[in-house]
Amino acid sequence: MDFLQSYGMILIILAAAVGFVMAWGIGANDVANAMGTSVGSKALTIKQAIIIAMIFEFAGAYLAGGEVTSTIRKGIIDTAYFVDIPEYLVLGMISSLFAAGLWLAVASYLGWPVSTTHSIVGAIIGFTAVGVSMDAVEWSKVGGIVGSWIVTPAISGVIAYLIFMSAHKLIFETDKPFHYARKYVPFYMAFAGFVMSLVTIKKGLKHVGLDLSPTTGYVLSVVLAVIIAFIGKWLISRQAYSHSEDADLQRANVEKVFALLMVVTACCMAFAHGSNDVANAIGPLAAVVSVVSNGGEIGSSSALAPWILPLGGLGIVAGLALFGHRVIATIGEGITHLTPSRGFAAEMAAACTVVIASGTGLPISTTQTLVGAVLGVGLARGVSALNLGIIRNIVISWVVTLPAGAILSILCFFTLKAIFGV
C-alpha cells in the first residue's frame, strides 16, 4: 500500500498517457475498420468519416457504454489473486495498455485490421500468467476468443451475403433499377435505424435516466426507424440524378442512392463500435485510477472519473485522423472492390452481428465482424472477386495478435517492476 501512496499520482499520469496511446491505436485500427467501407466505396471522404466518427463514437461510448466499466475486460483474469498485491494489478494494467497500443500502432502501419479487444486481452493474459500465476487466467474465456475467430466472421459474412443478394434481386436485376432503388432504399434505411436504436437500448440507457422495458425499447426503435426512413426518402428526392436511359448511368444513379444510405450505416457502425470497444482503452485505465484512489482495494467494477472518457475519445479521433488511412485502404479497397451498395451490405451486416452478440454474450471483435461481412459481399460475386493474398495476411495478423500483446506486456511489466523496485 505504501507503494501506491508514494507513487499514486505518477501511476495515474502514466496510466493516462498509455491509455491515450491505446485509444490512439483503437482510432488508427478499429475505427478505420468501421469507416473503411464508407471511404473505400467513395460514399464518404476521409474528412467526413472523421467527423462522423467523432460524433458517433462519443455518443456510443456515453449512451451505450455506461458510466461504470468492468475492471477487467471480458472477465479474463481472477482478481482474487491480486488482493494482496494490488500494485501488480496497477503495473500490469499500465503494461497491458502500452503493449496493446504499441501492437495496434505496428499493425496499423502495416495496414493490418486486427482486433483491439484481442490485443488488450492478450496483453492482460501475458502479464498475469507470467508475472502472477497461470491459475489467475480464466483459460476457458481464451478458448471462447479463439472460437470467435471463426464464428464472428461467419455470422456477419452470411448476413452480408443475404443483404447484398436481397438488394441484387429487388433492385439491380430489375428492368428499372433506379426506380426500385428509390422505392426500397428508404426501407433499408429504416432497417439501419432500427438496428442502431436497438444497440443503444440493449446496451442500456439507465445512467441517463431512461430505464426502458424490452417492449418499450422495441416500440421506440420502430418509431425511430420510421422517422429515419422518411428523412431518407426526402433526401433521396433532393439528390440530382442523370435522366439518361444508358444502363451505366442508371447504375451510377442507383449507387448514388446507396451512397446516402452508407452515411446512415457509417453512423450506425461508429455508434455500435463506440458502445463496444472504447472500453478497451478506458477499462484498464479506470481500474488503475480506482485501485490507486481506493488505497489498493480492488472492486469488480470501476466508476469512471470525468476526464477518462474525453481522453479516450480524443485519442480515438487522433488515431483515425493521423494513421487510419492505411487500414481504411485494406478494408475499403484491398479485400474486394466495394461500391456503395456492397459497402452498405457489409456495414449493415456488421452492425446486426454486434446486436446479436450483445444479446447472446458472444465474445466479439468489431474488426473480425466487418472483415467477415466484406468477405461475404465479395463471395456473392465469386471467389475470383477476393484478394486472397490480403485475406491471408489478415488471418495471420489475427492469430499473431494475442501472443504479440502478451509478449510486449510481459516485457513492459518486468521493466516497470525494475524501475519502481517492486
Side-chain angles (χ1 to χ4, degrees), residues 4-5 12 43 46 63 66 91 95 99 102 106 114 123 131 151 191 193 198 218 287-288 307 309 327 331 338 354 359:
L4 294 180
Q5 287 170 352
I12 288 175
I46 187 80
L63 291 175
L91 293 179
S95 303
L102 190 61
V106 171
V114 298
V151 176
F191 179 49
L198 215 53
Y218 279 106
V288 171
W307 55 269
L309 197 55
V327 180
I331 291 282
L338 288 177
V354 170

Side-chain angles (χ1 to χ4, degrees), residues 1-349:
M1 302 308 162
D2 292 339
F3 167 76
L4 294 180
Q5 287 170 352
S6 303
Y7 296 107
M9 186 51 66
I10 293 171
L11 291 168
I12 288 175
I13 292 168
L14 189 58
V18 294
F20 183 85
V21 170
M22 176 61 181
W24 188 93
I26 292 173
N29 206 285
D30 245 19
V31 181
N33 293 331
M35 292 291 141
T37 47
S38 305
V39 177
S41 66
K42 308 291 189 291
L44 291 171
T45 65
I46 187 80
K47 193 179 285 186
Q48 290 167 336
I50 290 168
I51 292 167
I52 285 175
M54 284 170 67
I55 296 166
F56 283 89
E57 289 282 335
F58 267 116
Y62 175 67
L63 291 175
E67 285 179 335
V68 175
T69 186
S70 298
T71 299
I72 311 302
R73 187 80 172 126
K74 305 290 182 191
I76 207 77
I77 58 175
D78 185 355
T79 51
Y81 284 82
F82 293 91
V83 171
D84 296 327
I85 44 169
E87 62 274 16
Y88 276 32
L89 182 64
V90 170
L91 293 179
M93 285 299 162
I94 292 171
S95 303
S96 298
L97 283 169
F98 181 71
L102 190 61
W103 168 244
L104 288 172
V106 171
S108 301
Y109 178 78
L110 296 170
W112 291 349
V114 298
S115 168
T116 54
T117 305
H118 296 173
S119 301
I120 192 71
V121 164
I124 290 171
I125 290 168
F127 93 81
T128 304
V130 176
V132 182
S133 168
M134 291 286 283
D135 296 332
V137 178
E138 300 283 355
W139 293 105
S140 60
K141 299 265 187 180
V142 180
I145 289 167
V146 173
S148 75
W149 292 347
I150 299 165
V151 176
T152 304
I155 291 172
S156 62
V158 168
I159 295 171
Y161 178 85
L162 294 173
I163 292 172
F164 178 71
M165 292 311 291
S166 74
H168 207 66
K169 295 284 184 193
L170 291 171
I171 296 167
F172 288 100
E173 288 186 355
T174 61
D175 54 345
K176 294 180 181 176
F178 179 49
H179 168 76
Y180 285 104
R182 296 180 71 167
K183 180 179 178 181
Y184 288 118
V185 165
F187 289 100
Y188 284 122
M189 284 187 172
F191 179 49
F194 177 75
V195 170
M196 185 171 162
S197 305
L198 215 53
V199 169
T200 314
I201 291 157
K202 270 189 170 294
K203 289 281 180 180
L205 291 168
K206 291 179 185 177
H207 68 280
V208 289
L210 288 172
D211 188 3
L212 303 175
S213 68
T215 309
T216 310
Y218 279 106
V219 170
L220 186 60
S221 297
V222 170
V223 170
L224 289 170
V226 172
I227 292 168
I228 288 169
F230 277 110
I231 293 170
K233 195 172 178 64
W234 178 74
L235 287 172
I236 290 166
S237 69
R238 301 268 299 175
Q239 284 263 80
Y241 303 101
S242 168
H243 295 291
S244 169
E245 293 300 318
D246 180 73
D248 288 339
L249 287 172
Q250 284 295 301
R251 186 171 284 272
N253 281 347
V254 173
E255 293 297 352
K256 208 169 180 182
V257 175
F258 271 100
L260 265 178
L261 178 53
M262 280 290 284
V263 177
V264 177
T265 55
C267 299
C268 188
M269 197 62 205
F271 192 92
H273 178 264
S275 66
N276 253 306
D277 283 23
V278 169
N280 288 330
I282 63 174
L285 174 54
V288 171
V289 174
S290 174
V291 172
V292 171
S293 303
N294 295 325
E297 186 183 330
I298 299 169
S300 60
S301 60
S302 317
L304 287 184
W307 55 269
I308 291 178
L309 197 55
L311 180 86
L314 191 65
I316 282 171
V317 171
L320 173 63
L322 297 174
F323 231 43
H325 62 279
R326 292 174 181 268
V327 180
I328 281 177
T330 302
I331 291 282
E333 299 163 15
I335 298 172
T336 190
H337 174 65
L338 288 177
T339 60
S341 57
R342 294 170 196 156
F344 152 70
E347 269 190 5
M348 201 60 245

Side-chain angles (χ1 to χ4, degrees), residues 379-409:
L379 280 171
R381 296 161 54 230
V383 176
S384 60
L386 299 173
N387 186 332
L388 297 179
I390 293 283
I391 294 165
R392 182 197 63 228
N393 290 344
I394 289 171
V395 172
I396 291 170
S397 72
W398 289 357
V399 175
V400 170
T401 292
L402 275 177
I407 292 164
L408 288 169
S409 145

